Amino acid sequence: MTSKTVLITGGTSGIGAETARLLLDRGHCVAVTGRNEAKLKAFLDAAGHPDRLLGLIGDAADWPATRSAVTATVERFGALHAAVANAGFTSADYQRTAGATLDDGDPTLWPPMVLTNVLGPALLAKAALPHLEATRGRMVLIGSVAGLKNAPASLYSATKWAVTGLAENLRLHATTRGIGITLVNPGMIDTPFWEGNSAPPFALPPRHVAESICFALDQPAGVDLNTLTIRPIGQPV
């Protein structure tokens, strides 16, 4: 890629943070959002490149915050070439906080997951697409293998199926405006969301997913790479 500006929601840890670091290493400008001010500051301090890195406090499921993040990114760097809808609950995080299934879950904890995983990417698309049209850029949605393979009574899986549908709906709309849409579906990834549990020994480091996101962003003009599914060797489902 020539130098570009990329906005990543939920960019202070896991896949989002690795993608931000990789893009910075390659000379790009990056804006990251996060809900936790302390985590955001720690990431910014560790990442360096203050001239090319912008940190923004915001909830991906909040429209004013998302719109403000896009506006601030464009004002700081002059344009927006890519937006990565990365903020979301992982399956391990969901199981720890809200229960693994509809039977054993706590319904009072479900709304934040549904809003973050489903509403969040839609809000980012609404805010970012006009700017991506101007740069003929790309939007990346982080889905999951759980959005391709059903899991018994899993609301988390249902939210990722919604992301799969949203990505194709967006593609049908965005391709007429010169914008690329890519859905990235990670399998088991070793991220902080496994807190309290051990990740499977074959789980991929988030860096590998970040490399795939950068691969999508690096496609030549006129190429729309729509779906990337990334499982570790050893994951049977």
Side-chain angles (χ1 to χ4, degrees):
M1 287 185 287
T2 57
S3 182
K4 295 181 178 179
T5 296
V6 183
L7 170 62
I8 304 170
T9 62
T12 61
S13 64
I15 293 169
E18 286 296 332
T19 303
R21 283 189 281 265
L22 191 55
L23 288 167
L24 289 168
D25 289 346
R26 296 180 180 182
H28 303 292
C29 298
V30 179
V32 298
T33 72
R35 290 183 295 182
N36 185 299
E37 187 171 359
K39 285 181 64 175
L40 180 62
K41 184 179 185 305
F43 172 77
L44 297 175
D45 290 344
H49 304 287
D51 57 324
R52 292 188 286 110
L53 178 60
L54 174 65
L56 300 160
I57 292 292
D59 184 339
D62 179 75
W63 168 238
T66 301
R67 179 177 53 190
S68 176
V70 171
T71 299
T73 300
V74 174
E75 288 179 349
R76 170 71 180 274
F77 298 118
L80 182 66
H81 300 91
V84 182
N86 170 75
F89 283 69
T90 69
S91 56
D93 191 39
Y94 169 54
Q95 184 167 343
R96 188 178 67 253
T97 61
T101 70
L102 296 178
D103 282 339
D104 61 16
D106 179 353
T108 65
L109 299 178
W110 294 343
M113 180 190 65
V114 174
L115 291 172
T116 301
N117 287 5
V118 182
L119 181 62
L123 295 179
L124 183 60
K126 180 172 178 60
L129 287 184
H131 300 283
L132 299 178
E133 184 174 10
T135 59
R136 301 188 70 80
R138 178 173 301 277
M139 182 167 176
V140 177
L141 293 84
I142 306 302
S144 173
V145 167
L148 306 175
K149 306 283 287 185
N150 282 301
S154 170
L155 184 60
Y156 169 79
S157 177
T159 68
K160 289 302 184 179
W161 276 92
V163 174
T164 299
L166 177 62
E168 177 61 9
N169 292 349
L170 280 175
R171 185 196 69 79
L172 292 169
H173 171 66
T175 193
T176 65
R177 300 169 62 177
I179 304 166
I181 300 292
T182 300
L183 173 67
V184 176
N185 296 312
M188 293 183 179
I189 308 298
D190 188 1
T191 74
F193 287 111
W194 288 97
E195 290 172 6
N197 300 286
S198 296
F202 52 75
L204 292 175
R207 184 82 170 190
H208 292 340
V209 183
E211 290 279 6
S212 297
I213 294 169
C214 289
F215 173 72
L217 298 181
D218 202 26
Q219 291 305 296
V223 175
D224 198 4
L225 181 66
N226 299 130
T227 304
L228 290 169
T229 300
I230 308 158
R231 290 180 177 90
I233 298 294
Q235 179 179 339
V237 296

